[in-house]
Amino acid sequence: MKALNIKDKFSRFDKNWHPHQIAIVDDMQVILAKLKGEFVWHSHENEDELFQVVKGTLHMQFRDRTEVVKEGEIIVVPKGVEHNPFTKNNEEVHVLLFEKKSTAHTGKVQHEKTQTRYPKI
């Protein structure tokens, strides 16, 4: 039981769209990721997903609208809802995610950005 410095953890990796696990809470994982550009349309059939923007502005695209999530804000994507996170103007956005350990990175979608292993830092 030690405090984790999130800024320090973000400094340990550079790749965009490559989540890194920093903690486990019961059957949930706390993940950090750097996002830049557009991701891929996907959903998580059985898991909700929480995004907290630590740095920058995240755009969460849904089929019927786009939500703008600013630094210090969170958005919860309910299970089964198709979404596509993206950033604008070449901005790198830092996010903390809270999701079940069973959550697949891109759901059932296989894409070149799909990650199957989240390194622990």
Side-chain angles (χ1 to χ4, degrees):
M1 293 183 295
K2 289 186 176 187
L4 299 175
N5 184 306
I6 292 174
K7 285 184 181 181
D8 174 64
K9 296 292 187 181
F10 272 114
S11 74
R12 295 181 185 203
F13 66 97
D14 293 316
K15 283 187 169 184
N16 293 303
W17 306 109
H18 287 253
H20 288 72
Q21 185 189 91
I22 62 167
I24 298 288
V25 181
D26 292 326
D27 69 337
M28 307 291 286
Q29 58 185 342
V30 182
I31 297 167
L32 298 181
K34 294 179 179 180
L35 315 179
K36 189 174 186 180
E38 190 165 337
F39 194 47
V40 58
W41 280 101
H42 68 287
S43 65
H44 306 284
E45 192 172 311
N46 299 306
E47 300 96 1
D48 297 333
E49 196 172 30
L50 181 147
F51 292 77
Q52 178 185 358
V53 177
V54 176
K55 176 184 168 192
T57 301
L58 176 66
H59 299 265
M60 186 64 72
Q61 189 174 16
F62 299 102
R63 289 297 182 183
D64 63 343
R65 72 189 185 289
T66 298
E67 291 290 328
V68 177
V69 189
K70 298 176 184 169
E71 196 167 303
E73 295 181 335
I74 67 169
I75 189 167
V76 176
V77 179
K79 62 181 109 252
V81 174
E82 201 172 15
H83 58 288
N84 182 26
F86 68 95
T87 71
K88 287 186 174 180
N89 303 318
N90 212 30
E91 179 183 24
E92 182 176 79
V93 175
H94 295 187
V95 296
L96 179 147
L97 294 97
F98 192 65
E99 62 188 26
K100 288 183 180 178
K101 291 189 286 187
S102 61
T103 305
H105 191 219
T106 53
K108 292 183 178 179
V109 174
Q110 290 301 309
H111 188 272
E112 63 186 28
K113 291 182 180 175
T114 301
Q115 301 299 306
T116 57
R117 189 181 80 76
Y118 301 165
K120 185 158 185 173
I121 55 171

